[in-house]
Amino acid sequence: MKTYLKCIFYSLGITLLFCTAAVGQNTKVIEVKTKSTSLVYAVDHNKRLVFQYYGKAVDAPDSFLRQQAYPKPDTNRDFSYEAYPTFGLGNVNEPALAVINADGSLNTELAFEGTETKSPQPGVSETVIHLNDRICKFNVELHFKAYWAEDVITQWAVITNNENQPVNLRRFASSFLPIKAETYYLTHFYGSWAGEMNVTEEKLENGIKVIESKKGVRTTQTENPSFILSVNTPALENAGDCYGGALAWSGNYRLAFQVDEWKRLNITTGINPFLSSWTLKVGERFTTPEMIYTFSSQGRGQVSRNLHDWGRKYGMVGGTKLHDIVLNSWEGAYFTFNENTLTGMMDDAAEMGIETFVLDDGWFGNKYPRNNDDAGLGDWQTNTQKLPDGLDYLIDYAHSKGLKFGLWIEPEMVNPESELAGKHPDWIVQSPGREKITWRNQLLLDLSNPKVQDFVYNVFDSLLTTHPGIEYIKWDANRHVEQAGSTWLPTSEQTHFWVDYTKGLYSVYERIRARYPDFVMQDCASGGGRLDYGALKYHNEFWTSDNTDPLSRIFIQYGTNLIYPPVGTASHVSTSPNHQTQRMAPLKFRFDVAMTGRLGMELQPKDIQGKDRDFAADAIRNYKQYVRPLITNGDLYRLKSPYDEGGWASQMYVSKEKASAVLFVFSLEPHLRGVFPTIKLNGLDTTKTYQIEEINPNGRSRFWGDGQTFKADYLMNAGLELYVGGQYESAVFILKETN
Ligand code: DGJ
């Protein structure tokens, strides 16, 4: 019997081989390469563009040319994964593209037409692959931009209708990536207001796991359009194959992870097609947002560093420049201030070494004064009761103190109680005949309407033209879409609202950046509600969360910096007890935590007096001298996760040339007497020795070897036992190479 079975298997094997050969070899290999990674596609014998590989760099185009697909059982189609799967070419998984053709038919079959490569700038290459439907005049371009040094590849699609009638797009993903491994572990981010970017990791099983937003605006408050995927093991910091992904889109998104019946993981990412079918008119092109990918065979630490390098250089404005230390008026004054309150804050800010003063919400509206959040939004004229001498008086005062002046705006929104709402009721997002739903007492302006785009642009432009002394804008957005509907879009195109809103927003940003390329803008939406690489492209930094409690921030910033660069992570020292959590924490702990990102303060500085004020001024000096350059351009190494057992968190930032570093250690809970963490450093040059010095000690040293010199090997393998064990105790050390 055994021999008989063997024979069957043997002859099956022969048949398989034979069939495979009959199926035919690939005819062309297309490689997208970076320093350490390869993404490979091939054109098969049927002119289909098929995925071959994404991972550690492989230099074997001839092997990929010979690589063959298995014949799919019971069909005349191959068992291969298309680069951009459509419905209608034997694809049974999540399609990247689904089209209702002009003739009403539902199938699309893309065939390879050609490819081209360009070098848009040094260190960046772009590959475009052209695909045409076999029947309809319907064209898809797949674009891949490879960032050599950063090991990042971005992808997007351009879909063109060359038929003589409109077609209807039902799905239009940016990217499709099929990964093959034994097991898949997905790290993703969830949260809410004042609790963004919580990290969770789950093993993916058969079926579809979806991360998405249908909120239209403020889409990253609940989940973030980014992830880390580790294969064959839960993600490790310094080992293992890990992919990082982030979608550059501030509107509705959908990231789908389907483990299919063949145990392959299909990752389909892009705009959420929810109520968004798109009519593509004759000759029109639809460009999807960019999907950003990176890969590392050395764990998720390198995934984050790749994304940070890419983000600083290509994904944000001024990402490699030192950022100012900011005092923001919000938590120190809220809506209740007059000129003296603000000039007093500026006096204190200047004395402590702060560089920019930002006047937050509450400075505008006259007929409907903005004294709380129920009125005035939309009326961007200075409130003459609170600020009788106007903005220029405050700007000049700031300058006289050596400070820059920044201002808060929320130009996409309107309170029903405002002059704007009375003048332009048709500019408001609404659905005919239905009561408008408010959130934080406000409504959304319809950015799909070009007139609204002009208005929003002009809010920004006229403020800067009238007050050229303004050098920083905080751009806020405090609600999402609860009810879609545009008086501007025709009935047949109401489903375009979601995409057109975001494209409208981006077109305003484009105009702003064309005129003010280097101007400093903060991206804020009730905290981190618009934290994505689509918006970040136009901003210099982001308000990470309205939760300024240092313990909460350790977790929020840990999650945030898995994907987004520390230099953009606005991180402010606030008062104690904290306004959001009521938790008390020492000033040193609050400062040390805030110094892991873009340092700022957000309190009434008068409340910091005596020794505390000296400590604050000293910490700010230390930040400028030692820490800021490392946060800006250094490499982040996570040493202890706040999520791990033990109750500590630790991380360091190492300069690119490994000449200096800063180490942070935090105790998150009370530990038993004598229980201290041993911190093994990372990222140093093993041939070097480093001198270690504690900064912000506040009267007590936390390391027996403070001021001494150590070999990198010792620091990285034996590690340092640090006297940091009490609740909310912390320590910061500077390392400088000595040889
Ligand atoms: C929400 C922001 O996140 C806060 O920092 C503050 O600017 C308020 N809006 C003002 O309304």
Side-chain angles (χ1 to χ4, degrees):
M1 176 67 175
K2 260 190 183 167
T3 333
Y4 175 68
L5 271 178
K6 249 191 198 165
C7 281
I8 291 186
F9 283 129
Y10 182 68
S11 60
L12 249 178
I14 300 279
T15 318
L16 257 180
L17 261 176
F18 179 75
C19 286
T20 309
V23 157
Q25 291 192 348
N26 291 328
T27 60
K28 185 180 175 64
V29 170
I30 301 167
E31 292 177 284
V32 180
K33 289 188 140 192
T34 66
K35 187 180 63 192
S36 318
T37 71
S38 299
L39 170 64
V40 186
Y41 295 97
V43 181
D44 77 2
H45 64 290
N46 251 332
K47 284 183 78 181
R48 294 197 310 172
L49 183 71
V50 290
F51 173 87
Q52 302 288 291
Y53 174 79
Y54 181 37
K56 196 171 175 174
V58 175
D59 189 16
D62 56 321
S63 307
F64 286 113
L65 198 60
R66 280 181 280 126
Q67 188 167 314
Q68 292 178 8
Y70 296 105
K72 205 173 195 172
D74 304 331
T75 168
N76 56 350
R77 298 295 190 190
D78 292 353
F79 195 103
S80 55
Y81 285 76
E82 277 178 87
Y84 195 66
T86 56
F87 178 75
L89 192 54
N91 173 53
V92 289
N93 289 331
E94 284 275 283
L97 181 71
V99 186
I100 303 181
N101 294 306
D103 62 4
S105 64
L106 305 180
N107 304 304
T108 306
E109 291 189 71
L110 296 176
F112 175 78
E113 277 304 312
T115 181
E116 49 184 310
T117 50
K118 324 174 197 176
S119 282
Q121 61 199 103
V124 186
S125 64
E126 185 175 342
T127 305
V128 187
I129 306 175
H130 296 271
L131 307 168
N132 280 348
D133 184 68
R134 288 170 201 256
I135 304 283
C136 302
K137 287 193 181 135
F138 185 81
N139 169 261
V140 175
E141 290 165 20
L142 298 181
H143 291 248
F144 302 87
K145 253 193 193 176
Y147 297 82
W148 181 261
E150 294 76 18
D151 281 328
V152 163
I153 297 174
T154 68
Q155 314 180 19
W156 69 98
V158 180
I159 302 159
T160 310
N161 174 21
N162 290 320
E163 285 282 276
N164 51 16
Q165 281 183 65
V167 300
N168 197 253
L169 306 183
R170 291 303 173 108
R171 292 209 177 203
F172 30 84
S174 294
S175 146
F176 173 77
L177 183 64
I179 291 176
K180 185 78 200 295
E182 308 303 318
T183 47
Y184 309 98
Y185 294 87
L186 178 70
T187 298
H188 59 104
F189 310 95
Y190 70 91
S192 66
W193 175 76
E196 299 86 340
M197 294 301 276
N198 296 282
V199 182
T200 183
E201 184 175 46
E202 62 193 88
K203 184 171 179 219
L204 295 173
E205 303 289 357
N206 283 50
I208 305 183
K209 161 83 191 173
V210 173
I211 295 167
E212 65 167 11
S213 174
K214 301 192 195 87
K215 289 182 152 183
V217 176
R218 211 171 57 170
T219 50
T220 66
Q221 201 173 62
T222 323
E223 295 189 84
N224 196 273
S226 63
F227 63 90
I228 288 177
L229 184 92
S230 175
V231 297
N232 300 333
T233 163
L236 301 168
E237 218 27 62
N238 301 306
D241 284 0
C242 267
Y243 299 82
L247 183 73
W249 183 245
S250 311
N252 291 346
Y253 59 84
R254 183 171 191 270
L255 315 180
F257 302 83
Q258 178 181 26
V259 178
D260 66 21
E261 59 194 285
W262 302 284
K263 287 281 180 204
R264 195 178 277 251
L265 172 65
N266 304 285
I267 308 177
T268 314
T269 56
I271 291 174
N272 195 335
F274 166 74
L275 285 181
S276 292
S277 75
W278 189 272
T279 308
L280 197 61
K281 298 198 188 99
V282 177
E284 259 183 7
R285 286 157 72 84
F286 184 92
T287 303
T288 72
E290 252 179 306
M291 180 67 199
I292 301 147
Y293 269 117
T294 188
F295 169 83
S296 168
S297 58
Q298 286 139 45
R300 68 178 187 173
Q302 194 56 44
V303 162
S304 300
R305 289 187 287 280
N306 291 349
L307 291 173
H308 296 170
D309 283 344
W310 179 86
R312 285 190 283 234
K313 203 161 166 200
Y314 303 102
M316 61 193 284
V317 180
T320 57
K321 290 189 187 154
L322 299 182
H323 284 41
D324 275 6
I325 301 169
V326 164
L327 172 69
N328 183 292
S329 69
W330 182 241
E331 285 196 31
Y334 293 108
F335 293 105
T336 314
F337 54 80
N338 57 28
E339 283 173 350
N340 286 341
T341 328
L342 303 179
T343 54
M345 284 175 127
M346 290 187 219
D347 291 340
D348 293 321
E351 198 185 294
M352 285 193 272
I354 280 167
E355 296 157 317
T356 294
F357 173 77
V358 180
L359 172 54
D360 210 284
D361 200 350
W363 59 269
F364 51 90
N366 284 301
K367 185 168 176 198
Y368 300 98
R370 179 76 170 168
N371 292 328
N372 50 50
D373 62 21
D374 63 10
L377 204 54
D379 302 344
W380 299 105
Q381 301 83 33
T382 315
N383 179 300
T384 50
Q385 264 213 318
K386 283 185 193 172
L387 306 174
D389 297 309
L391 281 182
D392 285 332
Y393 166 73
L394 293 174
I395 295 168
D396 291 345
Y397 193 88
H399 290 169
S400 75
K401 292 278 155 187
L403 296 167
K404 291 180 197 150
F405 186 85
L407 197 65
W408 176 96
I409 56 173
E410 192 182 3
E412 297 157 69
M413 309 278 171
V414 63
N415 283 129
E417 261 196 64
S418 67
E419 293 184 71
L420 181 69
K423 238 191 271 170
H424 295 290
D426 53 319
W427 285 5
I428 294 169
V429 172
Q430 57 196 280
S431 181
R434 296 184 197 276
E435 191 191 353
K436 298 186 191 74
I437 303 170
T438 56
W439 256 86
R440 207 196 188 204
N441 307 307
Q442 66 196 55
L443 298 164
L444 195 66
L445 295 179
D446 173 12
L447 264 171
S448 72
N449 182 340
K451 284 198 184 121
V452 175
Q453 293 167 21
D454 287 345
F455 169 80
V456 173
Y457 172 75
N458 283 326
V459 169
F460 188 96
D461 186 47
S462 55
L463 268 172
L464 263 61
T465 316
T466 325
H467 309 287
I470 297 175
E471 290 178 80
Y472 177 112
I473 287 281
K474 173 176 178 179
W475 183 306
D476 205 348
N478 284 299
R479 70 159 295 164
H480 54 267
V481 183
E482 286 269 306
Q483 211 174 25
S486 165
T487 62
W488 162 258
L489 292 170
T491 317
S492 60
E493 288 178 16
Q494 286 293 310
T495 55
H496 289 203
F497 166 77
W498 307 95
V499 171
D500 274 351
Y501 184 98
T502 308
K503 290 203 165 161
L505 176 69
Y506 289 171
S507 101
V508 173
Y509 286 157
E510 286 288 340
R511 281 164 78 182
I512 288 173
R513 282 308 177 191
R515 177 135 192 220
Y516 306 97
D518 300 319
F519 188 88
V520 179
M521 273 216 286
Q522 187 186 70
D523 166 12
C524 172
S526 314
R530 194 177 261 164
L531 176 54
D532 60 73
Y533 277 116
L536 202 50
K537 182 174 162 197
Y538 303 100
H539 294 83
N540 305 62
E541 58 177 40
F542 47 88
W543 183 224
T544 319
S545 175
D546 273 354
N547 187 343
T548 53
D549 175 308
L551 181 62
S552 308
R553 275 300 186 112
I554 285 178
F555 287 89
I556 294 171
Q557 294 181 196
Y558 179 88
T560 300
N561 295 151
L562 275 162
I563 303 291
Y564 302 100
V567 63
T569 309
S571 178
H572 294 180
V573 175
S574 61
T575 199
S576 179
N578 181 270
H579 289 181
Q580 288 76 33
T581 63
Q582 307 309 317
R583 197 167 11 227
M584 311 262 297
L587 187 64
K588 173 174 165 54
F589 188 70
R590 284 179 272 151
F591 256 100
D592 289 353
V593 171
M595 281 166 75
T596 62
R598 196 282 277 135
L599 175 66
M601 294 182 85
E602 183 143 345
L603 40 64
Q604 170 50 269
K606 287 249 168 314
D607 295 344
I608 302 185
Q609 291 297 346
K611 275 191 182 160
D612 278 352
R613 182 167 286 228
D614 296 340
F615 173 81
D618 194 43
I620 288 172
R621 251 192 313 275
N622 287 334
Y623 183 78
K624 287 179 187 165
Q625 188 176 349
Y626 305 113
V627 182
R628 178 160 59 179
L630 293 164
I631 299 286
T632 309
N633 285 311
D635 284 328
L636 168 66
Y637 287 87
R638 290 178 288 264
L639 308 176
K640 275 196 187 293
S641 163
Y643 286 91
D644 285 350
E645 268 180 47
W648 281 284
S650 178
Q651 69 213 63
M652 60 190 292
Y653 299 83
V654 183
S655 70
K656 287 281 175 198
E657 58 294 349
K658 300 190 182 293
S660 59
V662 57
L663 166 68
F664 294 91
V665 185
F666 303 103
S667 172
L668 315 183
E669 59 191 49
H671 292 89
L672 292 179
R673 194 160 57 147
V675 175
F676 297 119
T678 298
I679 307 290
K680 296 185 181 181
L681 309 200
N682 200 352
L684 299 174
D685 181 338
T686 47
T687 65
K688 288 184 175 165
T689 56
Y690 294 88
Q691 188 187 34
I692 300 190
E693 198 186 322
E694 185 168 2
I695 58 167
N696 302 353
N698 211 15
R700 183 168 90 71
S701 172
R702 289 167 188 81
F703 176 42
W704 54 264
D706 191 19
Q708 297 180 28
T709 296
F710 299 89
K711 288 209 157 113
D713 264 352
Y714 171 84
L715 298 171
M716 294 168 71
N717 295 312
L720 306 178
E721 197 185 28
L722 300 170
Y723 311 142
V724 181
Q727 171 151 277
Y728 311 143
E729 224 183 315
S730 55
V732 187
F733 298 93
I734 296 299
L735 283 82
K736 286 184 213 145
E737 77 167 297
T738 56
N739 56 339

Short mmCIF file of all heavy atoms in Angstrom, two decimals, residues 193 328 330 335 360-362 370 373 408 410 440 474 476-478 522 524-528 543 545-546 602, ligand 1:
data_model
loop_
_atom_site.label_atom_id
_atom_site.label_comp_id
_atom_site.label_asym_id
_atom_site.label_seq_id
_atom_site.Cartn_x
_atom_site.Cartn_y
_atom_site.Cartn_z
N TRP A 193 -9.43 60.39 22.44
CA TRP A 193 -8.94 61.69 22.86
C TRP A 193 -8.15 61.53 24.16
O TRP A 193 -8.57 60.81 25.06
CB TRP A 193 -10.13 62.65 23.08
CG TRP A 193 -9.65 63.96 23.63
CD1 TRP A 193 -9.04 64.96 22.94
CD2 TRP A 193 -9.73 64.38 24.99
NE1 TRP A 193 -8.71 65.98 23.79
CE2 TRP A 193 -9.13 65.65 25.06
CE3 TRP A 193 -10.23 63.82 26.17
CZ2 TRP A 193 -9.02 66.37 26.25
CZ3 TRP A 193 -10.12 64.53 27.35
CH2 TRP A 193 -9.53 65.79 27.38
N ASN A 328 3.13 77.14 25.37
CA ASN A 328 1.79 77.25 24.80
C ASN A 328 0.84 77.71 25.90
O ASN A 328 0.89 77.21 27.02
CB ASN A 328 1.38 75.88 24.23
CG ASN A 328 0.02 75.95 23.56
OD1 ASN A 328 -0.99 76.15 24.21
ND2 ASN A 328 0.00 75.81 22.25
N TRP A 330 -2.36 77.30 26.35
CA TRP A 330 -3.64 76.61 26.58
C TRP A 330 -3.85 76.19 28.03
O TRP A 330 -4.73 76.69 28.72
CB TRP A 330 -3.77 75.44 25.60
CG TRP A 330 -5.07 74.69 25.72
CD1 TRP A 330 -5.22 73.38 26.04
CD2 TRP A 330 -6.39 75.21 25.53
NE1 TRP A 330 -6.54 73.04 26.05
CE2 TRP A 330 -7.29 74.15 25.74
CE3 TRP A 330 -6.89 76.47 25.20
CZ2 TRP A 330 -8.67 74.31 25.64
CZ3 TRP A 330 -8.27 76.63 25.10
CH2 TRP A 330 -9.14 75.56 25.32
N PHE A 335 -9.38 79.85 28.02
CA PHE A 335 -10.00 80.97 27.30
C PHE A 335 -9.91 82.27 28.10
O PHE A 335 -10.35 83.31 27.63
CB PHE A 335 -11.49 80.66 27.04
CG PHE A 335 -11.71 79.53 26.07
CD1 PHE A 335 -12.14 78.28 26.52
CD2 PHE A 335 -11.52 79.71 24.71
CE1 PHE A 335 -12.36 77.25 25.62
CE2 PHE A 335 -11.75 78.67 23.81
CZ PHE A 335 -12.17 77.44 24.26
N ASP A 360 -2.85 80.24 22.25
CA ASP A 360 -3.79 79.19 21.82
C ASP A 360 -5.18 79.78 21.63
O ASP A 360 -5.37 81.00 21.47
CB ASP A 360 -3.75 78.04 22.85
CG ASP A 360 -4.07 76.69 22.23
OD1 ASP A 360 -5.26 76.44 21.96
OD2 ASP A 360 -3.14 75.89 22.01
N ASP A 361 -6.17 78.95 21.65
CA ASP A 361 -7.58 79.29 21.42
C ASP A 361 -8.02 80.48 22.30
O ASP A 361 -7.50 80.69 23.39
CB ASP A 361 -8.40 78.04 21.80
CG ASP A 361 -9.77 78.04 21.18
OD1 ASP A 361 -10.16 79.07 20.62
OD2 ASP A 361 -10.44 76.99 21.26
N GLY A 362 -9.04 81.24 21.79
CA GLY A 362 -9.69 82.25 22.63
C GLY A 362 -9.34 83.68 22.29
O GLY A 362 -9.80 84.60 22.96
N ARG A 370 -15.02 84.59 21.56
CA ARG A 370 -14.61 83.21 21.82
C ARG A 370 -14.13 83.12 23.28
O ARG A 370 -12.92 83.09 23.56
CB ARG A 370 -13.48 82.87 20.85
CG ARG A 370 -12.91 81.47 20.98
CD ARG A 370 -13.80 80.41 20.38
NE ARG A 370 -13.10 79.13 20.33
CZ ARG A 370 -13.69 77.98 20.08
NH1 ARG A 370 -14.99 77.93 19.84
NH2 ARG A 370 -12.99 76.88 20.06
N ASP A 373 -15.92 77.27 24.22
CA ASP A 373 -15.92 76.63 22.89
C ASP A 373 -17.27 76.66 22.18
O ASP A 373 -17.45 75.99 21.17
CB ASP A 373 -15.34 75.21 22.98
CG ASP A 373 -16.18 74.29 23.88
OD1 ASP A 373 -17.37 74.60 24.10
OD2 ASP A 373 -15.64 73.27 24.34
N TRP A 408 -2.77 80.10 17.41
CA TRP A 408 -3.64 78.93 17.18
C TRP A 408 -4.75 79.31 16.19
O TRP A 408 -5.34 80.38 16.30
CB TRP A 408 -4.26 78.53 18.51
CG TRP A 408 -5.25 77.41 18.50
CD1 TRP A 408 -5.00 76.11 18.77
CD2 TRP A 408 -6.67 77.50 18.26
NE1 TRP A 408 -6.16 75.36 18.72
CE2 TRP A 408 -7.20 76.20 18.40
CE3 TRP A 408 -7.54 78.54 17.93
CZ2 TRP A 408 -8.56 75.91 18.24
CZ3 TRP A 408 -8.90 78.24 17.76
CH2 TRP A 408 -9.39 76.94 17.91
N GLU A 410 -8.18 77.28 13.84
CA GLU A 410 -8.91 76.06 13.50
C GLU A 410 -9.79 76.39 12.29
O GLU A 410 -11.03 76.45 12.40
CB GLU A 410 -9.76 75.60 14.70
CG GLU A 410 -10.30 74.20 14.50
CD GLU A 410 -11.18 73.73 15.66
OE1 GLU A 410 -11.42 74.49 16.61
OE2 GLU A 410 -11.64 72.57 15.58
N ARG A 440 -18.39 69.30 20.03
CA ARG A 440 -17.73 70.44 20.70
C ARG A 440 -18.39 71.74 20.23
O ARG A 440 -17.71 72.73 19.95
CB ARG A 440 -16.24 70.47 20.40
CG ARG A 440 -15.43 71.16 21.50
CD ARG A 440 -14.04 71.55 21.06
NE ARG A 440 -13.25 72.01 22.18
CZ ARG A 440 -12.21 72.82 22.09
NH1 ARG A 440 -11.81 73.25 20.93
NH2 ARG A 440 -11.55 73.19 23.15
N LYS A 474 -0.34 77.00 15.02
CA LYS A 474 -0.86 75.70 15.46
C LYS A 474 -2.21 75.52 14.77
O LYS A 474 -3.14 76.29 15.01
CB LYS A 474 -1.02 75.70 16.98
CG LYS A 474 -1.71 74.46 17.55
CD LYS A 474 -1.74 74.51 19.07
CE LYS A 474 -2.46 73.31 19.67
NZ LYS A 474 -2.45 73.35 21.14
N ASP A 476 -5.46 73.46 14.28
CA ASP A 476 -6.24 72.49 15.04
C ASP A 476 -7.46 72.04 14.24
O ASP A 476 -7.89 72.71 13.29
CB ASP A 476 -6.68 73.18 16.36
CG ASP A 476 -6.95 72.21 17.49
OD1 ASP A 476 -7.04 71.00 17.23
OD2 ASP A 476 -7.11 72.68 18.64
N ALA A 477 -8.05 70.94 14.61
CA ALA A 477 -9.30 70.45 13.99
C ALA A 477 -9.98 69.57 15.03
O ALA A 477 -9.50 68.49 15.32
CB ALA A 477 -8.98 69.64 12.74
N ASN A 478 -11.09 70.07 15.59
CA ASN A 478 -11.63 69.43 16.79
C ASN A 478 -12.93 68.66 16.60
O ASN A 478 -13.69 68.51 17.54
CB ASN A 478 -11.82 70.48 17.88
CG ASN A 478 -10.48 70.85 18.51
OD1 ASN A 478 -9.80 70.00 19.07
ND2 ASN A 478 -10.08 72.10 18.38
N GLN A 522 2.27 73.60 13.29
CA GLN A 522 2.02 72.40 14.09
C GLN A 522 0.71 71.75 13.65
O GLN A 522 -0.30 72.42 13.47
CB GLN A 522 1.95 72.73 15.58
CG GLN A 522 1.86 71.47 16.42
CD GLN A 522 1.63 71.75 17.91
OE1 GLN A 522 0.56 72.19 18.31
NE2 GLN A 522 2.64 71.48 18.71
N CYS A 524 -2.36 69.58 14.55
CA CYS A 524 -3.08 69.21 15.78
C CYS A 524 -4.53 68.91 15.41
O CYS A 524 -5.10 69.55 14.53
CB CYS A 524 -3.01 70.38 16.75
SG CYS A 524 -4.03 70.19 18.22
N ALA A 525 -5.12 67.93 16.04
CA ALA A 525 -6.55 67.69 15.88
C ALA A 525 -7.01 67.09 17.21
O ALA A 525 -6.94 65.88 17.39
CB ALA A 525 -6.84 66.76 14.72
N SER A 526 -7.38 67.95 18.14
CA SER A 526 -7.73 67.51 19.51
C SER A 526 -6.58 66.67 20.06
O SER A 526 -6.80 65.59 20.59
CB SER A 526 -9.00 66.67 19.52
OG SER A 526 -10.00 67.26 18.75
N GLY A 527 -5.37 67.11 19.89
CA GLY A 527 -4.19 66.30 20.22
C GLY A 527 -3.75 65.61 18.94
O GLY A 527 -3.70 66.21 17.86
N GLY A 528 -3.49 64.29 19.04
CA GLY A 528 -2.93 63.56 17.89
C GLY A 528 -3.96 63.00 16.93
O GLY A 528 -3.77 61.91 16.40
N TRP A 543 1.03 67.99 17.60
CA TRP A 543 0.65 67.97 19.01
C TRP A 543 0.24 66.54 19.31
O TRP A 543 -0.77 66.04 18.81
CB TRP A 543 -0.46 68.97 19.30
CG TRP A 543 -0.85 69.05 20.74
CD1 TRP A 543 -2.12 69.10 21.24
CD2 TRP A 543 0.02 69.11 21.88
NE1 TRP A 543 -2.09 69.19 22.61
CE2 TRP A 543 -0.78 69.19 23.04
CE3 TRP A 543 1.41 69.10 22.05
CZ2 TRP A 543 -0.26 69.26 24.33
CZ3 TRP A 543 1.93 69.16 23.34
CH2 TRP A 543 1.10 69.24 24.45
N SER A 545 -0.72 64.76 21.99
CA SER A 545 -1.94 64.41 22.74
C SER A 545 -2.31 65.56 23.65
O SER A 545 -1.44 66.28 24.14
CB SER A 545 -1.68 63.17 23.59
OG SER A 545 -2.80 62.90 24.40
N ASP A 546 -3.61 65.71 23.93
CA ASP A 546 -4.03 66.68 24.94
C ASP A 546 -3.72 66.16 26.34
O ASP A 546 -3.87 66.89 27.32
CB ASP A 546 -5.53 66.97 24.82
CG ASP A 546 -5.78 68.09 23.82
OD1 ASP A 546 -4.81 68.69 23.35
OD2 ASP A 546 -6.96 68.36 23.52
N GLU A 602 3.48 73.98 29.08
CA GLU A 602 2.07 74.31 28.88
C GLU A 602 1.45 74.45 30.25
O GLU A 602 0.86 73.50 30.79
CB GLU A 602 1.40 73.22 28.05
CG GLU A 602 -0.02 73.53 27.75
CD GLU A 602 -0.45 73.09 26.35
OE1 GLU A 602 0.40 72.80 25.50
OE2 GLU A 602 -1.67 73.06 26.14
C1 DGJ B 1 -7.50 70.99 21.15
C2 DGJ B 1 -6.01 71.02 21.19
O1 DGJ B 1 -5.50 69.73 21.17
C3 DGJ B 1 -5.57 71.77 22.43
O2 DGJ B 1 -4.18 71.75 22.54
C4 DGJ B 1 -6.08 73.17 22.38
O3 DGJ B 1 -5.49 73.85 21.30
C5 DGJ B 1 -7.60 73.17 22.23
N1 DGJ B 1 -8.02 72.35 21.14
C6 DGJ B 1 -8.10 74.56 22.03
O4 DGJ B 1 -9.42 74.60 21.75
#
